[in-house]
Structure formats: C-alpha cells, structure tokens
Amino acid sequence: MTELAEGPTHIGAKGSLAYWNREFQRIHSPTLRYGFSVVSVAIALGIAFILQHYGFRDVEVPVLTVAIAFATWYAGIGPSVLSVLLSLLFFDYFFLEPYYSFDISARDLPYFFIFVGWAAIVASFSAVRRRIEDNLRQTRDHLQVEVVERRQREDEIRKLNLELGKRAVELEASNKELESFAYSVSHDLRAPLRHMVGFSELLQRQATSALDEKSQRFIRTILDSAKRMGDLIDDLLAFSRIGRAETRKTQVDLGELVKEVVAEIGQDTKGRDIAWKIGALPVCYGDRSMLRLVVLNLVSNAAKFTRMREPAEIEIGAVDRNDNDVELFVRDNGAGFDMQYVDKLFGVFQRLHLPEQFEGTGIGLATVQRIIHRHGGQVRGEGAIDQGATFYFSLPKPQLAGERTANAS
C-alpha cells in the first residue's frame, strides 16, 4: 500500500522535472526568442572584438557560429535565420575588407561564402538535432505514460485476481455448506415423513368404513403427496451424495454398460413398441457406477417421454468430437422441449412438463450434469416440441481422463 501511495507523488515529481527541462530548453515568448537571437549575436561580436584586441586572429567565424547554434537551439527556426543574417552583416561590416562597409573585396569574397555555408550548416544541424531530441523526448514521455498506465492496470488486475480468489474460496465454502445443509435437511425429513405415510395408511385401513368418499380422497391425496415428497427427498439425497462421494476411476466399457441399462429399462417397458438402435460405443475411463447412473437417467427419460409414440425410437451412439474428447448421445422421438428453456433442464427440480403428463422429480438431468462435470466433460441438449430430443455428454479419452478429472475436482 505504501508503494502504491508513493507512486503518484514520484510520477508527479518526474513530470514536473521534465516540464521544467522542456521550459528551460525552449523559449516560448516570440519577443524573448528574437531578443535572445539578437543578444547572442551581440555577445559573440563583443567576444570577437575582445579576442582581436588581445592578438587573436580569425576568431570571428567560430564565435559567431556558436551564437547561431545557441539561437537555433534555444529560440527556434525564425530567430536562427535572424542570427544568421545578423552574423553575416556584422562579419561583412567589421571583419572583411573594406572595413566598416558592406562591400566585399574580391579577395575576401570566398571567405565570405565559406562563412555563409558554414553558418547555414551549423544552423541546419542544430535545428535537425533539436527536432530529433524533441521527438525523442515526446516518445520518452509517451512511453513513461504507457509504463505508468500499464503498472496501474497490472495493479488493478492483481487486485481483481486477489478478489476473485477470495470469492472463489467463499463460493466453494458456500457450496459445501449448501450441500451439507441439503443432505442434513433431506436426511432429517425422512423420519417424520415416514411417520406421516405410516399413520395415514393405518388411518385409511382402520377408518375406511367410517369415512365418506370425500374424506377418503383427502387421505389418498395426503399419501400421494407424502410419497412424492419422499421421492424428492431420496433424489435430493442421491444428488448430494454425488458431490460428496469419491470417484473410483477404472476402464469402463460403455457398450456393455448401455446393454445393462437397456435390459433394465426393458423390464419396465414390457408391452411397449420401442425400436432400439445402439451404435458402437468406446471404452472410457471413469467411475462405472456414476456413469451407469448417467446412462440410466438419460435412457429412462427417453423411454418416459416417448410413451405416447408408436413406435418409440431411441438411439444411443457416439461421435469423436476431437482428439481429446468423445461425445455420446441419447436420441428419441418423444415429446421434446422448447429450446429457449434448455438452460432450465439441468437445474434441480426444474421441469418443462406437468407432473400429470410425465412423472419425475426434476433431478435426473441435474445429476447427469454433476457427474459429467466431475469427469471433466460437458452436457448439452437439443430438441423441439413434439419432435423429440437429443442429449449429449462428452468424456475425455482415457489418456487425458486422469488430468481432466483432477482439474474438475
């Protein structure tokens, strides 16, 4: 925090120093700029006279050249031109024969042109160097601003990462608390619910003759509701156990697993006309009991929602999504669903059909999603109303399953 607090002050001091340097190296007022040019040439002329007085010869050219360089450097192009003109005039008037005249003798004419060329070269080089340094200074200032902004962004990203880490820890703790709460509540509700069902059944058997049809219907409603609540609690307990249970990963032959599930479902769908189509299925790596529950839920849903179809068609197959994953699907020609509600399918107790149409508690697909996520895969659904549905789930191939499930846990 101290470093962050001192940062803006340090940057402000640097900016002030850079601004002072720029102000010192560049005179902004036009009057001062041209005045500086005149004064520079006048001082150079005075120095040349003094040096001549003490016996130094041919010093006027370097001295006036220095004045031109100073005027160009500190005052700019316009004052530089003025300093060149003044230097030429003074050089011609005071240092070339005939003296104190603007005429130039033939003997001194080359000397004069040499001075003109030298003055122009010095002025142009000074101007170019000044422009280059100005560009470099601007680039440096721009880079300093970018560095400061980048540090600020890095600090913000660091703070956001820390905050995100804290939120992730809090969310994980909240999820564990919710799972524990759901498990405890579901477990504790089973005993009073069993009492409710038991005593309602006793009352129904012992008081049937004393109750009229309306009262008996009330008791049947209590029993049906209690049994439905019992099913909900059992499914919620199973859903909570999936999040708490450890996965025992082994090689799983999905073809054999699907055959077992289809045989089990076939016992409950005797008398129905169901056309089963089972494709070649791969071997994967995962918890066999959990994956069996995934297949059982999906195939059970397909059998349930094709109850009104004659014949019902259920297809189970697999496709290679890429080099890392294999995707399995369960397709049916049943009631289907509206795709705008597809996100609700995998929520706990979320149903898109009335209980009178199709039984169920709305936990099956949520269980499927939790199991597949624990195996490092994804779940998705496609469908249309009265045109069937297809549910896909992906699993990592055996060589990547260990790493993927470790990250998912």
Side-chain angles (χ1 to χ4, degrees):
M1 292 298 292
T2 305
E3 181 178 325
L4 292 177
E6 291 178 353
T9 306
H10 184 59
I11 293 167
K14 278 189 173 180
S16 300
L17 181 59
Y19 177 77
W20 183 85
N21 286 335
R22 288 193 298 270
E23 291 296 312
F24 177 75
Q25 293 177 0
R26 175 71 68 169
I27 302 171
H28 293 280
S29 171
T31 302
L32 292 177
R33 289 166 57 204
Y34 285 94
F36 180 80
S37 176
V38 173
V39 171
S40 297
V41 175
I43 292 174
L45 183 62
I47 293 173
F49 285 147
I50 293 172
L51 292 175
Q52 276 192 346
H53 178 73
Y54 286 100
F56 294 94
R57 300 299 177 186
D58 298 328
V59 296
E60 60 275 5
V61 172
V63 173
L64 290 174
T65 301
V66 171
I68 293 171
F70 268 86
T72 304
W73 184 260
Y74 289 105
I77 300 298
S80 173
V81 174
L82 177 60
S83 66
V84 170
L85 294 176
L86 291 175
S87 297
L88 292 177
L89 290 175
F90 291 149
F91 180 70
D92 180 20
Y93 190 79
F94 291 107
F95 302 105
L96 295 180
E97 295 180 356
Y99 297 117
Y100 309 114
S101 170
F102 292 108
D103 294 331
I104 303 174
S105 65
R107 185 169 62 87
D108 288 336
L109 191 59
Y111 189 33
F112 177 77
F113 282 120
I114 290 173
F115 178 71
V116 171
W118 180 248
I121 291 172
V122 170
S124 62
F125 270 98
S126 298
V128 169
R129 180 179 176 185
R130 175 64 193 217
R131 185 169 61 252
I132 292 173
E133 289 206 357
D134 284 344
N135 292 336
L136 290 174
R137 189 178 298 110
Q138 291 176 1
T139 303
R140 182 198 63 192
D141 293 343
H142 181 67
L143 288 175
Q144 286 180 345
V145 172
E146 287 189 349
V147 168
V148 171
E149 292 177 351
R150 182 175 178 179
R151 287 177 179 173
Q152 290 176 347
R153 288 194 295 267
E154 289 176 351
D155 290 340
E156 292 175 359
I157 291 172
R158 194 177 297 111
K159 291 179 181 178
L160 290 174
N161 286 336
L162 291 174
E163 186 67 23
L164 185 61
K166 293 179 181 178
R167 294 291 178 86
V169 172
E170 293 174 358
L171 182 60
E172 184 178 0
S174 298
N175 287 336
K176 289 181 178 179
E177 290 177 0
L178 285 174
E179 286 185 1
S180 300
F181 176 76
Y183 183 83
S184 299
V185 169
S186 302
H187 188 272
D188 293 342
L189 285 176
R190 297 180 75 181
L193 190 62
R194 283 197 300 269
H195 293 162
M196 184 186 301
V197 173
F199 283 107
S200 296
E201 290 176 345
L202 288 174
L203 179 62
Q204 186 182 41
R205 286 197 298 267
Q206 295 181 4
T208 299
S209 58
L211 298 175
D212 58 12
E213 179 61 27
K214 187 175 182 179
S215 299
Q216 292 181 13
R217 181 163 54 83
F218 289 161
I219 293 178
R220 287 195 298 270
T221 301
I222 292 172
L223 284 171
D224 291 341
S225 298
K227 289 178 180 179
R228 174 169 172 76
M229 186 176 179
D231 293 338
L232 288 172
I233 290 174
D234 290 339
D235 288 346
L236 186 59
L237 278 172
F239 183 75
S240 299
R241 289 192 188 102
I242 290 172
R244 300 157 65 93
E246 294 184 5
T247 56
R248 297 179 176 86
K249 296 179 286 294
T250 59
Q251 295 282 344
V252 180
D253 186 344
L254 291 175
E256 180 183 343
L257 190 64
V258 167
K259 289 179 182 178
E260 292 180 9
V261 171
V262 170
E264 181 179 335
I265 298 296
Q267 297 296 322
D268 299 329
T269 56
K270 285 183 177 180
R272 287 184 54 188
D273 184 7
I274 300 178
W276 296 93
K277 183 179 179 182
I278 302 175
L281 299 175
V283 175
C284 69
Y285 189 74
D287 188 298
R288 193 180 193 280
S289 61
M290 288 188 178
L291 293 179
R292 188 181 188 282
L293 186 57
V294 168
V295 176
L296 180 63
N297 279 324
L298 293 178
V299 176
S300 297
N301 279 350
K304 177 171 63 176
F305 289 107
T306 55
R307 186 181 301 155
M308 309 302 292
R309 297 287 189 268
E310 290 292 339
E313 298 176 0
I314 300 176
E315 180 182 1
I316 306 169
V319 293
D320 275 339
R321 292 177 59 190
N322 48 52
D323 294 336
N324 302 327
D325 299 293
V326 61
E327 189 170 59
L328 286 79
F329 64 86
V330 178
R331 182 178 293 119
D332 64 69
N333 65 336
F337 60 89
D338 192 338
M339 279 297 290
Q340 66 176 324
Y341 303 115
V342 66
D343 293 335
K344 292 185 176 182
L345 287 174
F346 301 100
V348 179
F349 299 137
Q350 295 290 335
R351 293 175 51 85
L352 300 185
H353 301 87
L354 296 175
E356 294 79 10
Q357 295 176 307
F358 300 100
E359 72 279 2
T361 58
I363 295 183
L365 290 178
T367 301
V368 169
Q369 185 180 60
R370 171 167 283 196
I371 292 174
I372 296 302
H373 282 180
R374 291 200 65 179
H375 283 74
Q378 298 293 328
V379 183
R380 61 189 178 93
E382 296 176 356
I385 297 176
D386 291 329
Q387 296 183 24
T390 304
F391 287 93
Y392 301 86
F393 64 94
S394 63
L395 291 170
K397 292 184 177 180
Q399 62 270 23
L400 298 173
E403 178 182 351
R404 192 84 63 84
T405 52
N407 294 334
S409 299

